[in-house]
Amino acid sequence: MNVETVATAPIEGQKPGTSGLRKKTAVFMQPGYLENYVQAVIEGVGGVDGRTVVVGGDGRFFNDKAIGIILRMLAANGAERAIVGQDGMLSTPAASNVIRKRKAFGGIVLSASHNPGGEDGDFGLKFNIANGGPAPESITDAIFARTKALTEYRILKDQAPSLSTLGETRLGNMKVEIIDPVADYVSLMETLVDFDRIRKLFASGFTLRFDAMHAVTGPYAKAIIEEVLGAPAGTVINATPLPDFGGHHPDPNPVHAAELFRLMFSSDAPDMGAASDGDGDRNIVLGRGISVSPSDSLAVLAANIHHAKGYRGGLKGIARSMPTSRAADRVAEKLKVDLFETPTGWKFFGNLLDAGRVTICGEESAGTGSPHVREKDGLWAILLWLDIVAARGQSIAEIVTEHWRTYGRDFYTRHDYEGISTASGDQLMADLRGSLASLPGKTFKDLTVAEADDFAYQDPTDGSVTSRQGVRIMFDKGARAVFRLSGTGTEGATLRVYLEKFEPDSSRHDRDPQDVLADVIAAADAIAGIRDRTGRSAPDVIT
C-alpha cells in the first residue's frame, strides 16, 4: 500500500468529553488536527488491524472531507472493512444500529449533535464501541493519553472513493462499503412499533408536523412517516439535510424550534408536532396546546410502552440521568420495577442496557432510548408516541393530563447560561461544593434545604464509580435544584440549572412551570449567586 507516515506532535486540548471531541469547525480543519485525533482514536481503542469500522455523520460542513481523511487513515492502519453511509450520512442511532447489526469493531461518528453547523459552526467526532454505544471513560481516557504522546500518524496517499455510489470498492487493502443509510433503520423500526396501526391513524385524518430542522433525520422521517406510514406529503418539513442546517441551530427546544411551538399553540395546530436535532438522537413532542417536556415524555412512554409492538413484555426497569425530573421514578415505583439514576452522558446507560436491566432510558436534554440501539433515538421516540396515540385513541394532551392525574406532576425547567467564562463557571461550582455541608437546615426564599450533595454514581453492573457529576440541592415541599457545567459546547462554559417541584393536586396541574417554580428559581440563585457571578439577568435558554 501507498502509506505515508507523517511526523507530528501532540496538539493541546484534544480531550474528549461526554460525546467525543467537539470544537469549532475551523479548528478541526487546521492541518493535522483531525489526523492527530483520528490516529489517537485508532491507537486508544487498541488498533483497527483486521477490523470492521462503521463511519458516518450528520452531514454538517466538513463531514464528507473528514470522512475521506478517516478512510485513508483506517486503510493505512490496517482496517479490513469500512462501512459508510451514502454521502457520508448516518444518523447517530442509525450508526449504532449498523455497528450492532454488522458486528463491527466500532464506529467513528461525526457530529456535534444539536450544536450549530457550517464553516463558522461546530464539528465533532466520537468513537462508538462494538455494542453501538459511546466509548466508556476507560477508552476516552486512553484516547486522550495518546493525544498527548503522539509522534506520527499514518495515512494512505491514495484518494478516498466517492461516497455517493452504493456498493463496494477498495482503498488500499481495505474494503469500503457504501450503504443506504436509511434502509436498515426502517427495518428496525418496523419490529418495534406497529406500522399498520399508525397507518390507520394517519388514514383516519390524524395530522402531524415533523420538523427535521434541515438535519440528518429528514430522509429517515420522509421514508418512514410519509412513504411507509402514508402521512400526507409535506408532513415532514425542512427535510433536506444542509451543511449549515439552513443557518439554524438544530436543537428541538422552544427557542430554536420556535416556529413549531407557535404552530402547536395556534388555532391551526395539527394533532401532533415533533422535531429532532442535528444528528437525530434528540426529540421533542407536542400536542395541540401542550408541549411535553422530555422528562415527562420519558415517564409517559415508560408507563405506556407495553402498547408498542416490540415491548409487549412490559418494563424491566427505567433509567434516567440525574438532572432529569423524578417523574419516571414515580412510574417505576407504581409498576414495581427498578429505577436507575445515572450521570449525564448516554454511555452510562450502556451497561444497564447490555445487562438487560432497563427497557427505556432518557435524559432531560430531549434524549430517549431503549435496547434497540445504544444511543438515544429521536425518531424512534416520535414513532413510539404515534403508536401509543393510535393504541389509546386519545390526544397527546389527554394522555399527558391523565398521566399527571395518576402519578402527580413534576413541574420542571432548565435554565442555561451559555458562553460564560470557564473560570467563573468553575469557581461557582467549586464554591457550591464547598458549601454543601453547611446548607442543610438553611432557608432560601421560603424553601428549606433538606439535603445537599455532589452526585456520584456506582455502576451496578461493573462497580465502577463516577464522581463530581453535579451539585444537588433537595428542598422541602418536593423541590430540587441541580447545578452542572455542560461539556457539549465548544466555547467557554454553559451553566445548566435544573429546577423542579412535585405537585400531587390535579387541580393545580395546568399552571405555568415558570410560575410554579419561581421560589425554586429564586432559591437557586440565592444559593449560587448566579446573576452576580455570570453577569446575566436571565438565562439564555429556558426549556
Side-chain angles (χ1 to χ4, degrees), residues 250-487:
D251 192 352
N253 64 39
V255 174
H256 301 303
E259 183 179 344
L260 178 66
F261 277 76
R262 281 194 296 270
L263 173 66
M264 295 309 300
F265 284 84
S266 75
S267 58
D268 297 324
D271 294 300
M272 177 175 170
S276 56
D277 74 327
D279 66 333
D281 62 358
R282 299 182 183 217
N283 76 93
I284 192 69
V285 168
L286 304 96
R288 284 180 177 161
I290 187 170
S291 170
V292 186
S293 77
S295 292
D296 277 342
S297 182
L298 171 63
V300 174
L301 291 177
N304 289 276
I305 200 167
H306 60 281
H307 290 296
K309 180 178 179 179
Y311 306 92
R312 287 175 183 152
L315 281 175
K316 294 179 180 178
I318 307 170
R320 65 164 175 86
S321 65
M322 179 273 286
T324 302
S325 94
R326 293 165 291 185
D329 304 34
R330 308 183 199 287
V331 176
E333 182 180 7
K334 185 177 181 65
L335 298 182
K336 295 181 171 56
V337 299
D338 289 334
L339 185 286
F340 299 92
E341 183 179 30
T342 75
T344 296
W346 206 259
K347 58 191 174 185
F348 293 103
F349 294 135
N351 283 356
L352 297 170
L353 291 165
D354 286 346
R357 301 286 293 271
V358 298
T359 303
I360 191 168
C361 43
E363 297 180 331
E364 53 70 38
S365 55
T368 326
S370 86
H372 71 285
V373 290
R374 294 297 181 270
E375 292 275 7
K376 46 187 175 274
D377 189 346
L379 183 51
W380 163 83
I382 292 161
L383 293 171
L384 186 58
W385 264 103
L386 282 167
D387 202 13
I388 290 167
V389 168
R392 291 187 52 159
Q394 294 174 292
S395 70
I396 289 173
E398 289 168 339
I399 291 171
V400 172
T401 54
E402 184 176 314
H403 181 92
W404 290 338
R405 284 195 299 271
T406 302
Y407 296 96
R409 181 176 182 183
D410 287 84
F411 284 93
Y412 186 85
T413 189
R414 188 181 92 189
H415 289 189
D416 289 359
Y417 298 83
E418 298 179 335
I420 65 174
S421 75
T422 301
S424 65
D426 287 343
Q427 189 61 55
L428 183 151
M429 293 301 297
D431 290 346
L432 271 176
R433 290 184 168 104
S435 70
L436 289 175
S438 64
L439 285 175
K442 290 184 178 179
T443 299
F444 301 87
K445 306 298 180 181
D446 298 325
L447 289 174
T448 300
V449 178
E451 298 176 68
D453 66 10
D454 191 356
F455 180 64
Y457 174 69
Q458 183 171 15
D459 192 302
T461 68
D462 64 13
S464 61
V465 175
T466 307
S467 58
R468 295 173 64 86
Q469 292 300 300
V471 169
R472 300 187 298 181
I473 311 293
M474 278 68 77
F475 301 100
D476 59 357
K477 303 178 183 178
R480 184 178 76 148
V482 173
F483 302 83
R484 286 184 63 251
L485 287 182
S486 171

Side-chain angles (χ1 to χ4, degrees), residues 212-235:
M213 305 191 84
H214 287 303
V216 75
T217 312
Y220 295 84
K222 289 283 285 188
I224 296 175
I225 293 173
E226 293 187 8
E227 296 170 19
V228 176
L229 299 178
T235 294

Side-chain angles (χ1 to χ4, degrees), residues 36-217:
N36 262 36
Y37 190 67
V38 171
Q39 188 67 44
V41 168
I42 290 170
E43 295 180 13
V45 301
V48 295
D49 190 41
R51 309 279 196 178
T52 294
V53 180
V54 173
V55 185
D58 59 14
R60 66 180 59 228
F61 188 87
F62 190 52
N63 186 76
D64 52 351
K65 292 181 181 178
I67 289 176
I69 292 169
I70 291 166
L71 292 177
R72 292 164 60 204
M73 294 187 69
L74 288 173
N77 281 274
E80 179 179 328
R81 178 182 293 269
I83 302 172
V84 190
Q86 188 176 28
D87 297 321
M89 306 284 280
L90 272 175
S91 76
T92 293
S96 180
N97 178 48
V98 173
I99 292 168
R100 293 168 61 79
K101 182 175 180 178
R102 298 294 297 271
K103 296 180 170 55
F105 171 67
I108 295 177
V109 181
L110 290 80
S111 172
S113 188
H114 55 292
N115 292 9
E119 191 168 5
D120 298 322
D122 298 340
F123 196 81
L125 185 154
K126 67 177 180 177
F127 185 82
N128 280 28
I129 59 176
N131 76 346
E137 288 186 345
S138 59
I139 292 178
T140 57
D141 287 347
I143 292 170
F144 182 46
R146 291 307 304 150
T147 71
K148 296 187 292 183
L150 211 63
T151 60
E152 63 184 31
Y153 64 81
R154 293 167 58 81
I155 188 166
L156 207 64
K157 291 183 179 180
D158 303 6
Q159 290 301 303
S162 167
L163 303 180
S164 62
T165 304
L166 296 175
E168 190 173 295
T169 57
R170 278 194 172 271
L171 180 60
N173 294 333
M174 183 179 76
K175 298 173 184 175
V176 178
E177 183 182 353
I178 308 298
I179 64 168
D180 182 332
V182 176
D184 286 340
Y185 183 84
V186 175
S187 298
L188 177 63
M189 290 302 105
E190 192 167 15
T191 69
L192 301 174
V193 299
D194 192 329
F195 278 12
D196 288 338
R197 185 161 59 192
I198 301 174
R199 281 191 197 97
K200 291 176 183 176
L201 178 69
F202 282 122
S204 73
F206 184 89
T207 52
L208 168 69
R209 174 69 61 86
F210 182 103
D211 189 349
M213 305 191 84
H214 287 303
V216 75
T217 312

